[in-house]
Amino acid sequence: MSDKHLSSQFDTELNVISTRVLEMGGLVEVQVAQAVKALLGFSGEQASEVLRNEERVNAMEIEIDRELHSIIARRQPTARDLRLLIAISKAIANLERVGDEAARVARTVQRLMNEGVSSRLRLPMADLAFETDLAVAQLRKALDAFARLDVESALAVLKQDDQIDKEFDGLMRKLITYMMEDPRTISSAIDLVFVAKAIERVGDHAKNLAEVIIYVVKGQDVRHNTPEAVETMVR
């Protein structure tokens, strides 16, 4: 069998596994949006759907990881191909954790409903929805950048990460104000703090995906650097 044929087979395997990663990413993206929608509408049915999808996400992580080990053992890749496989391993770990955050929100919805908490409580739900929109958009941009191995798009994700952090900080201030003004909201507001933190972590995982893309393309580990420093490193 010629080297060219082997290379063609390897490229096909890489494309297949990369497509699986994007499928997993699309599923967790839906999970996050659906989990917060379940909270906003106090929908037990939607919360249950998020938890059912969590099982699918976990299964996909295991399947992709198994295939990664098989490819590495059979192909013994080097250089950029090896970096891509390592990056895929990191990517699916981050995506699985995004699914975990969505499941955490869904379980919060179920618990609030079981406790008879009213959806009419005066809490900044619109702010939470906006934070979620930002986080889901960041995740989508990171996945699009991963599909194209686009460093410029990955850099844009890193630069926009502080928007979610600022929204989270603003939401925390509002929640504290709500709790001070109406003690009846304290318990539910604390739950919302944990939900908001879960959404903020989704943004963190999107940032991690962006850093993985830069590692694949440029061969540089840019973790724990500011976006400005990263931009200088990859130019």
Side-chain angles (χ1 to χ4, degrees), residues 79-94:
R80 179 164 165 163
D81 288 335
L82 180 58
R83 293 202 303 271
L84 176 58
L85 293 172
I86 293 172
I88 288 173
S89 180
K90 293 180 178 181
I92 61 173
N94 276 280

Side-chain angles (χ1 to χ4, degrees), residues 86-113:
I86 293 172
I88 288 173
S89 180
K90 293 180 178 181
I92 61 173
N94 276 280
L95 291 174
E96 190 274 335
R97 291 184 189 117
V98 171
D100 286 345
E101 301 299 347
R104 185 170 290 112
V105 176
R107 292 190 185 97
T108 298
V109 174
Q110 290 180 332
R111 184 168 53 76
L112 289 174
M113 294 181 69

Side-chain angles (χ1 to χ4, degrees), residues 127-225:
D127 297 79
L128 180 64
F130 183 66
E131 183 195 10
T132 302
D133 289 343
L134 289 176
V136 170
Q138 279 284 83
L139 182 59
R140 186 178 300 121
K141 289 173 187 174
L143 288 168
D144 287 345
F146 182 86
R148 295 178 283 109
L149 292 180
D150 186 338
V151 169
E152 290 301 321
S153 295
L155 279 170
V157 171
L158 296 182
K159 290 177 181 178
Q160 292 164 2
D161 179 62
D162 66 343
Q163 294 178 8
I164 299 174
D165 295 335
K166 289 177 182 176
E167 188 63 26
F168 173 76
D169 291 341
L171 182 54
M172 291 303 99
R173 288 192 293 270
K174 280 193 177 182
L175 285 170
I176 290 170
T177 300
Y178 277 61
M179 288 187 280
M180 291 174 64
E181 292 178 349
D182 186 355
R184 293 175 301 171
T185 66
I186 290 175
S187 178
S188 297
I190 290 173
D191 283 318
L192 213 60
V193 167
F194 289 107
V195 169
K197 186 60 181 176
I199 300 305
E200 191 261 346
R201 289 193 186 107
V202 171
D204 288 341
H205 291 304
K207 182 182 73 171
N208 292 345
L209 285 173
E211 291 171 346
V212 159
I213 294 161
I214 295 170
Y215 170 70
V216 173
V217 179
K218 297 293 185 178
Q220 295 191 63
D221 188 340
V222 297
R223 291 175 295 178
H224 312 303
N225 284 283

